[in-house]
Amino acid sequence: MDEYRTEILPEPEENIEERKKNRSGCVSFAIDTLETVLLALVLFFAINAVSARVRVDNISMQPTLKAGEFLLLNRLAYRTGEPVVGDIVVFHYPGDPKEDYIKRVIGTPGDQVDIANGKVRVNGQELTEPYIAEAPMYAGTWTVPEDSLFVLGDNRNQSSDSHSWGFVPMKNVVGKALLIYWPPSQMRILSHTQEVQAAP
C-alpha cells in the first residue's frame, strides 16, 4: 500500500498581511457607514425639532400662498419670541386638532379687533393690507383673550378663520412660516410685519 504524506505549507507572510488589511478595511468601512447613518439621523431629528415642512392645500391664503406650495416653518419662533400682527402661522384647528390650518395673525392677547365696512382695525388703528384678495364682507368685534390669537386668511371671504369659529390657543400653534421653498419659481422669504402697518 502506498503511503501518502501531505504537508501544509505555511502561508506566505504577504498573504496574511493582505487578509488583515482587507479585514481592517471592511471593519473601517462598516464603522464609517454606521457613523454617517447615525449623524444623518441626529441631523434629521435636530432639524425636525426646530423646523417643519408644510404643504398648502387650499385657497384661504391666496394670493399670498397658493395650493400646492410647500413652506418651511420655524417651530421655535414663539418659544423665544412673541407672535406679532402679520405673522403667518400654522396651527392645529381648535375644532379638530387633527387638522392643521395656516392663517395670518391679526390680533394678539389683549387686542381688540374690529371689522366693518371692509376695513380691519386693531386697537382702533386701521391696517394697511396689500396682500389680501379682497376686503372682508363681514363685520364684528372681538377681544383676544390671554394665550390666544385672532387669525384671518388673506382670501378673506373664502376662509374659515377666527371671524367664524373664534380664537386659536397658543398651545395649538405649530410654528411660524418662514419661506416658500417649492416650487422653485415661487421660492421666497415670507415677510410679515413689514406688510401689516397702521394706515396713515
Side-chain angles (χ1 to χ4, degrees):
M1 179 182 260
D2 293 331
E3 278 186 31
Y4 291 98
R5 217 154 160 212
T6 60
E7 186 176 345
I8 299 173
L9 297 173
E11 193 172 353
E13 197 67 35
E14 59 270 14
N15 288 354
I16 295 170
E17 287 303 313
E18 194 176 317
R19 282 218 322 249
K20 281 183 185 174
K21 278 182 190 171
N22 286 344
R23 267 200 305 265
S24 167
C26 288
V27 170
S28 177
F29 176 75
I31 289 170
D32 286 348
T33 302
L34 184 61
E35 285 176 352
T36 302
V37 168
L38 287 174
L39 180 60
L41 286 171
V42 167
L43 286 172
F44 174 79
F45 287 114
I47 289 169
N48 275 345
V50 299
S51 67
R53 287 149 305 284
V54 172
R55 177 188 162 98
V56 179
D57 285 325
N58 60 47
I59 62 169
S60 72
M61 281 296 290
Q62 286 184 357
T64 306
L65 303 173
K66 297 175 181 64
E69 291 178 339
F70 285 82
L71 313 177
L72 183 68
L73 301 186
N74 178 358
R75 287 182 184 269
L76 303 181
Y78 304 128
R79 291 189 189 175
T80 56
E82 297 295 320
V84 296
V85 173
D87 285 356
I88 296 172
V89 295
V90 172
F91 56 91
H92 304 308
Y93 170 50
D96 181 0
K98 291 177 189 167
E99 286 187 48
D100 286 345
Y101 281 18
I102 181 162
K103 307 290 175 190
R104 191 180 294 272
V105 175
I106 299 299
T108 57
D111 285 345
Q112 181 171 307
V113 178
D114 295 292
I115 303 176
N117 303 316
K119 304 292 184 188
V120 177
R121 291 178 177 79
V122 178
N123 301 325
Q125 294 287 316
E126 183 185 322
L127 300 183
T128 300
E129 301 182 288
Y131 46 77
I132 64 173
E134 58 184 353
M137 294 164 55
Y138 49 82
T141 299
W142 300 263
T143 299
V144 186
E146 235 179 278
D147 295 321
S148 298
L149 299 173
F150 183 91
V151 297
L152 295 176
D154 288 355
N155 192 357
R156 292 286 151 86
N157 299 309
Q158 301 292 322
S159 175
S160 170
D161 51 36
S162 289
H163 91 274
S164 56
W165 44 253
F167 307 102
V168 178
M170 278 302 300
K171 66 180 183 182
N172 285 35
V173 176
V174 176
K176 174 180 173 180
L178 296 179
L179 60 88
I180 299 168
Y181 71 88
W182 191 267
S185 60
Q186 298 302 313
M187 189 180 293
R188 70 182 186 280
I189 292 172
L190 292 166
S191 58
H192 298 274
T193 53
Q194 297 164 355
E195 292 181 335
V196 182
Q197 303 163 354

